[in-house]
């Protein structure tokens, strides 16, 4: 029986050391796989995302992104990790333009420094989600654990996440997600994820809960950290500039996401970056 050999690289993103941050599997070479086969590979590896590069040359590349449960049009840590792998292998130069289903995005990677960075899309602010009782129940908290004045609101810089402000960092730590209610709230708000956070002068602490993508709790979510930075500046919680977001500690994958929000005279420009470490490589031998 003929088969397909699928090389892959494993990287940890939003960390300055291996075996922390958010895990990513990158298939860096164009392989003739069908969508269902890509989905099967993503389910087999079991990370929050797996990327499949379909073309790469010069300062451009294209890719598809899969979770264990489905395909995404955009994601943060897969963008940084894939750019880092391709630049490290000399497949593209940095900075580069990344093409995904959601559009084209500027990315850069510095293998020597062990970092990568991307510019996300213009922030889009959705309606306020008013059912705070359901939101608190989804997080396993009381309504009093939610911030009394900041709104629960869907925000996107490429992927729409529900911003859920908690009263303090302790409330974020104590959260215990109730997946059925997370699913209900995410669906009712038209979002792709539930991003619980608390912000202060030191930055923000956050946790991402998912009900349908096969992730559960995500260690580091660049596609949510970008909207969070835009939300905090938009609502006057923090001034434009660098915002450090901590995520993943509760599930043993401590992660640091650096969000940079610039106010360009009424519009916000959002960059998200962090550390990247290549931790291994190999290949799948598949009977496709």
């Amino acid at each position: 029986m003929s088969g397909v050999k699928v090389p892959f690289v494993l990287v940890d993103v939003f960390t300055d050391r291996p075996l922390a941050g958010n895990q990513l599997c990158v298939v860096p070479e164009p392989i003739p796989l069908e969508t269902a086969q890509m989905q099967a590979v993503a389910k087999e590896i079991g990370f929050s995302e797996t990327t499949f590069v379909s073309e790469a040359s010069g300062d451009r590349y294209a890719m598809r992104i899969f979770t264990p449960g489905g395909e995404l049009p955009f994601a943060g840590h897969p963008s940084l990790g894939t750019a880092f792998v391709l630049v490290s292998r000399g497949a593209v130069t940095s900075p580069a333009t990344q093409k995904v289903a959601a559009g084209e995005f500027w990315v850069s990677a510095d293998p020597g420094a062990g970092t990568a960075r991307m510019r996300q899309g213009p922030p889009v602010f959705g309606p306020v989600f008013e059912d705070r009782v359901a939101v608190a129940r989804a997080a396993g908290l009381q309504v009093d654990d939610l911030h009394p004045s900041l709104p629960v609101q869907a925000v996107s810089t490429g992927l729409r996440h529900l911003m859920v402000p908690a009263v303090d960092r302790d409330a974020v730590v104590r959260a215990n997600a109730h997946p059925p209610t997370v699913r209900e709230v995410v669906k009712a708000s038209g979002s792709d994820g539930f991003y619980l956070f608390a912000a202060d002068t030191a930055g923000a602490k956050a946790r991402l809960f998912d009900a349908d993508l096969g992730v559960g709790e995500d260690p580091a979510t660049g596609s949510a950290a970008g909207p969070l930075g835009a939300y905090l500046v938009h609502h006057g919680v923090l001034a434009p500039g660098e915002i450090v977001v901590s995520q993943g500690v509760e599930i043993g994958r401590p992660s640091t996401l650096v969000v940079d929000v610039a106010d360009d005279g009424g519009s916000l420009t959002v960059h998200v970056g962090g550390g990247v470490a290549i931790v291994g490589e190999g290949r799948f031998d598949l009977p496709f």
Side-chain angles (χ1 to χ4, degrees):
M1 178 184 295
S2 62
V4 176
K5 300 184 187 301
V6 181
F8 64 84
V9 181
L10 305 181
V11 294
D12 291 334
V13 184
F14 294 123
T15 177
D16 60 357
R17 60 183 173 84
L19 309 182
N22 204 349
Q23 300 157 295
L24 176 70
C25 178
V26 179
V27 177
E29 300 174 13
I31 304 292
L33 297 177
E34 301 294 334
T35 296
Q37 294 168 336
M38 293 182 189
Q39 184 64 72
V41 169
K43 188 174 182 180
E44 176 71 16
I45 199 71
F47 292 170
S48 57
E49 279 104 356
T50 297
T51 62
F52 297 83
V53 176
S54 57
E55 58 182 83
S57 64
D59 63 352
R60 295 181 63 85
Y61 66 94
M63 70 178 190
R64 296 176 68 178
I65 308 166
F66 288 81
T67 75
E71 186 171 5
L72 294 178
F74 169 81
H77 99 274
S79 298
L80 300 186
T82 303
F84 190 89
V85 168
L86 293 178
V87 172
S88 296
R89 294 162 67 96
V92 297
T93 57
S94 177
T97 298
Q98 170 187 276
K99 182 180 178 181
V100 291
E104 295 188 348
F105 296 86
W106 178 95
V107 293
S108 68
D110 185 342
T115 60
R117 191 169 186 255
M118 74 175 304
R119 181 171 62 237
Q120 299 190 344
V124 177
F125 296 89
V128 172
F129 188 73
E130 302 288 357
D131 192 346
R132 294 170 67 86
V133 172
V135 168
R137 185 167 61 248
L141 297 171
Q142 302 298 314
V143 173
D144 288 348
D145 291 316
L146 301 180
H147 195 283
S149 59
L150 290 174
V152 178
Q153 184 178 26
V155 185
S156 173
T157 55
L159 199 64
R160 177 177 284 194
H161 291 285
L162 189 65
M163 299 293 110
V164 181
V167 67
D168 55 27
R169 291 180 180 240
D170 179 65
V172 177
V173 173
R174 288 188 287 105
N176 184 19
H178 185 250
T181 312
V182 170
R183 183 178 296 108
E184 293 172 5
V185 169
V186 166
K187 182 178 180 180
S189 64
S191 302
D192 295 289
F194 184 104
Y195 206 49
L196 179 71
F197 72 90
D200 50 37
T201 55
K205 178 176 179 58
R207 297 173 70 182
L208 186 286
F209 301 130
D210 153 69
D212 291 319
L213 297 176
V215 175
E217 179 170 351
D218 196 34
T221 317
S223 63
L228 173 58
Y231 172 102
L232 293 173
V233 171
H234 177 75
H235 289 289
V237 179
L238 295 175
E242 188 174 280
I243 301 167
V244 177
V245 180
S246 172
Q247 191 180 334
V249 173
E250 288 73 21
I251 55 173
R253 302 288 302 191
S255 307
T256 301
L257 305 88
V258 181
V259 184
D260 193 351
V261 182
D263 186 344
D264 300 322
S267 63
L268 298 178
T269 300
V270 179
H271 287 82
V272 177
V276 185
I278 295 176
V279 296
E281 57 184 284
R283 77 180 189 193
F284 293 104
D285 294 310
L286 304 174
F288 294 146

